[in-house]
Amino acid sequence: MQKGVLYPAAPQRMAYMAQLFPEDALEMYLIIRNPAALLPIFHSVAQDPEDAAFWGGRNPQDLRWSETVASIRSAAPEMPITVCCNEDLPLTWAQLIRDMAGLGPHEKLVGGFDLLHTIMSSEGMQRFRAYLGNQTQISEEQRRRVIVAFLDKFALEDEIEEELDMPGWTEDTVDYLTEIYDQDVEVIKGIPGVTVLAP
């Protein structure tokens, strides 16, 4: 984050990458995160957290991942981008790995539920794996519905809820930024050459 822009160097770096490998079919995978949760982290580790350097005269509600994604597409127009929301990763992690590796939906995958394991109780994971073991042909969409059902019952609440600590922010601020983020994801879905991997 610099002067109110998320990953401002990314477009130029991806353009350089495309120039380095002009004969290859490069793809970019980008995981984005709700700025309401991400900005407090960035601010806490910023080399210069002063307003001028960090915010650049912008407000938190002005930030858009769609700006960053569109800038990357403009700088490297031949490079398709797959975007995934961090909040959805426990549901989409297996598909993301399969897509990146070029694997089919029913190929065996080690680690496809690693993220799910961090937010679901041991009992829930055991029952979940037992249930899936009895399903011979289950689609990715059906698998996600099963995950949601098990999370409803076996989620570890302490692992799902995040502590947000940003000076001056209220619960209303976080809710408003989250609403903007959700709208921004819809904008990203409309950018040509971009695929949003969603549950």
Side-chain angles (χ1 to χ4, degrees):
M1 169 82 166
Q2 287 182 326
K3 296 186 177 178
V5 178
L6 292 161
Y7 294 98
Q12 187 61 62
R13 288 180 180 173
M14 292 302 101
Y16 289 152
M17 188 72 72
Q19 291 169 10
L20 280 171
F21 302 99
E23 304 302 319
D24 295 308
L26 300 180
E27 297 179 40
M28 180 180 185
Y29 287 81
L30 178 66
I31 297 175
I32 63 174
R33 187 173 182 182
N34 184 347
L38 186 62
L39 291 176
I41 297 169
F42 279 177
H43 193 263
S44 71
V45 298
Q47 290 181 349
D48 188 351
E50 296 300 318
D51 284 357
F54 191 80
W55 296 112
R58 299 182 87 188
N59 295 310
Q61 61 267 27
D62 298 329
L63 269 67
R64 301 287 187 277
W65 278 110
S66 57
E67 291 178 2
T68 301
V69 174
S71 294
I72 294 169
R73 284 291 301 154
S74 179
E78 301 303 317
M79 185 185 301
I81 301 173
T82 299
V83 174
C84 187
C85 296
N86 181 70
E87 300 79 14
D88 297 332
L89 280 182
L91 301 176
T92 58
W93 183 245
Q95 184 180 349
L96 184 63
I97 294 173
R98 282 190 176 91
D99 288 356
M100 290 176 69
L103 300 174
H106 298 293
E107 292 188 55
K108 287 276 188 182
L109 181 67
V110 176
F113 300 120
D114 284 358
L115 293 181
L116 185 60
H117 182 71
T118 65
I119 62 170
M120 189 186 291
S121 71
S122 297
E123 179 190 357
M125 284 303 298
Q126 287 175 350
R127 290 187 181 195
F128 171 70
R129 289 184 185 280
Y131 178 85
L132 284 188
N134 293 324
Q135 308 300 315
T136 53
Q137 293 291 322
I138 185 170
S139 71
E140 194 65 40
E141 184 178 333
Q142 291 168 324
R143 187 180 289 119
R144 288 186 193 141
R145 285 201 299 264
V146 171
I147 291 172
V148 169
F150 273 83
L151 281 175
D152 282 345
K153 188 169 183 182
F154 297 105
L156 299 171
E157 294 299 329
D158 291 345
E159 298 299 328
I160 292 176
E161 295 179 5
E162 287 187 282
E163 286 289 326
L164 304 178
D165 185 21
M166 191 72 168
W169 283 16
T170 65
E171 191 173 323
D172 287 343
T173 306
V174 171
D175 289 345
Y176 182 53
L177 292 177
T178 300
E179 184 179 331
I180 291 172
Y181 172 61
D182 291 341
Q183 293 169 358
D184 197 33
V185 171
E186 295 303 312
V187 173
I188 293 171
K189 289 178 181 177
I191 299 174
V194 175
T195 300
V196 176
L197 190 59

